[in-house]
Structures are given as C-alpha cells and as structure tokens.
Amino acid sequence: QQQVKQSPQSLIVQKGGISIINCAYENTAFDYFPWYQQFPGKGPALLIAIRPDVSEKKEGRFTISFNKSAKQFSLHIMDSQPGDSATYFCAASKGGSSNTGKLIFGQGTTLQVKP
Amino acid sequence: DVKVTQSSRYLVKRTGEKVFLECVQDMDHENMFWYRQDPGLGLRLIYFSYDVKMKEKGDIPEGYSVSREKKERFSLILESASTNQTSMYLCASSQRLVGQYFGPGTRLTVT
C-alpha cells in the first residue's frame, strides 16, 4: 500500500531520443507526485511535480503524465541530452491536514544518454 | 533558493565511535528528514521531524537517533558506529504540501 514501484532500473537512450520512466502506486490517498534528479556525488534535486487534478505537466523538455485510474505516472524527457545522464527517482506523498511532507520513493532509474 | 547544508561531505570514523551528522536549512521549513542511500536500495528514510523536539521513526531507525532543538537544525547520531553504517547520508527539508529539498550528502565510511 505504501510502495511506489519504478521501472526500468536502468535506461540507455541516444541523444535526441525520448526517455520514459514509469512509476506505479497503490495508495489512493497519495496526492503529490514529484520527480527528483540526482547526479553522482550530489543530493537529489526536485525536478518537476504533479498533483492528481491534472493529467499532464510540462516544464521545458520534462513532462509528467499522470493516469489516476491506473495509479501510474511517468516522466518523459524529450530530446534527451548527455547532460541528462543521472539517476531519477519518482516519489509520492499524502496531503491533507496530517501532511508531514513524508515522501515514499521509487527505487530509482539510472539514465545514460549516449552522444 | 532553499539551501540545505550538511556539516561534512566526507567523514571517516572507526567502529564504535559516536558520530554526529549535522544538517541546517535556511528556509524556515517545518519538516526535516534523514535518509541513507546505498547502491541498489534507493533512498531509505531513517528519521524525520515535523516540528522542534518532535521526531518519528522512518523505515530503518535501528542504530540511529536524532535531535532537533532548533527549527533550522536536525542532527543524526550514530551511537556506536558499525561498518554496515557506511553509506551516503542525505538530509532534506520541506514545507507542507511541497516537495523536499536535499542537502549535498555526507559520505560516511566506518572502518
């Protein structure tokens, strides 16, 4: 119920291609879904986030697609660049008055974009 | 910009030593978190705090304790360091309804 399952574990994409990372959750109380990007030796950085009242959110080359009925959400990186090579984590949290900001993280996807 | 700082980037300690990891955030965030990150295991929550002097256990609290005496500061304590606590330790802070902001991490090696 508390898990967020992320796939694939690793991904290799050619420069200019589309990178797609998927996450699935079970707890319908989750209402905030962020994605984090982590470069080696650095802490994760908040990349983009979505709430379930919209089905898609786009920021530059990064898009989150959200399917509430399927309890799935995905990150699409358009025109992938070698500089996008990093580990990506999806996450989910419950909102409401009891919100403590606690996130449930997926296991992470290591993306390599080949020149 | 939110800034979360951690006291050390790299730390080497001996087995049995008491270890203090410090984290400071400058955005008046209510919530603070400690994670450890290990290859293949992702981010695992050790402890979190949603207010001064308040703390809750995360998924892997054994062998760790925390202290939050001031809103901006959250300390992780390894009472008696062991080699299986060699890891990357990440601190994060957040406000209600928004995502967490992470520090740069402390790579701890226990020999």
Side-chain angles (χ1 to χ4, degrees):
Chain A
Q1 271 279 319
Q2 284 291 90
Q3 279 188 323
V4 176
K5 295 181 180 178
Q6 183 172 346
S7 63
Q9 192 172 2
S10 62
L11 183 61
I12 300 174
V13 172
Q14 290 295 128
K15 179 183 175 182
I18 302 174
S19 304
I20 301 174
I21 305 170
N22 300 298
C23 284
Y25 64 97
E26 295 180 357
N27 190 337
T28 55
F30 288 151
D31 66 353
Y32 178 72
F33 303 89
W35 284 90
Y36 286 82
Q37 179 189 55
Q38 184 180 28
F39 293 107
K42 306 283 187 183
L46 181 61
L47 185 62
I48 186 173
I50 197 168
R51 297 195 185 275
D53 51 345
V54 296
S55 59
E56 186 175 282
K57 183 173 182 180
K58 186 175 181 179
E59 289 184 3
R61 295 184 294 107
F62 300 90
T63 300
I64 300 179
S65 296
F66 185 82
N67 185 330
K68 189 173 181 178
S69 60
K71 292 185 281 186
Q72 294 175 348
F73 58 109
S74 59
L75 177 70
H76 296 236
I77 306 174
M78 314 300 283
D79 187 27
S80 299
Q81 299 297 313
D84 297 330
S85 298
T87 300
Y88 293 81
F89 293 94
C90 65
S93 74
K94 291 187 287 187
S97 59
S98 62
N99 179 31
T100 59
K102 183 180 174 186
L103 289 170
I104 310 300
F105 283 91
Q107 289 298 90
T109 297
T110 301
L111 170 66
Q112 182 184 358
V113 181
K114 290 194 167 183
Chain B
D1 279 352
V2 176
K3 194 165 184 183
V4 179
T5 57
Q6 295 184 229
S7 51
S8 305
R9 292 300 309 274
Y10 301 94
L11 209 53
V12 180
K13 295 291 181 181
R14 293 196 178 276
T15 301
E17 279 193 82
K18 191 168 187 176
V19 181
F20 293 86
L21 302 181
E22 302 284 334
C23 175
V24 178
Q25 51 97 359
D26 66 356
M27 284 301 292
D28 201 37
H29 282 175
E30 298 165 347
N31 309 314
M32 295 188 75
F33 306 82
W34 275 107
Y35 296 88
R36 64 177 282 176
Q37 184 175 24
D38 302 287
L41 297 177
L43 292 157
R44 294 184 291 168
L45 181 65
I46 304 171
Y47 268 98
F48 70 102
S49 167
Y50 52 89
D51 202 351
V52 175
K53 297 191 186 292
M54 305 300 288
K55 61 184 180 185
E56 283 198 22
K57 293 180 180 179
D59 301 317
I60 51 164
E62 296 79 18
Y64 303 94
S65 62
V66 289
S67 172
R68 193 168 180 200
E69 297 295 319
K70 293 185 177 182
K71 192 174 185 179
E72 68 272 17
R73 189 179 297 270
F74 191 35
S75 302
L76 179 70
I77 303 154
L78 287 66
E79 296 289 343
S80 177
S82 63
T83 54
N84 63 13
Q85 292 178 310
T86 292
S87 186
M88 169 71 91
Y89 289 88
L90 291 160
C91 174
S93 73
S94 77
Q95 194 73 327
R96 282 188 65 231
L97 306 180
V98 296
Q100 294 179 16
Y101 293 86
F102 284 82
T106 296
R107 169 105 26 217
L108 172 67
T109 302
V110 183
T111 61

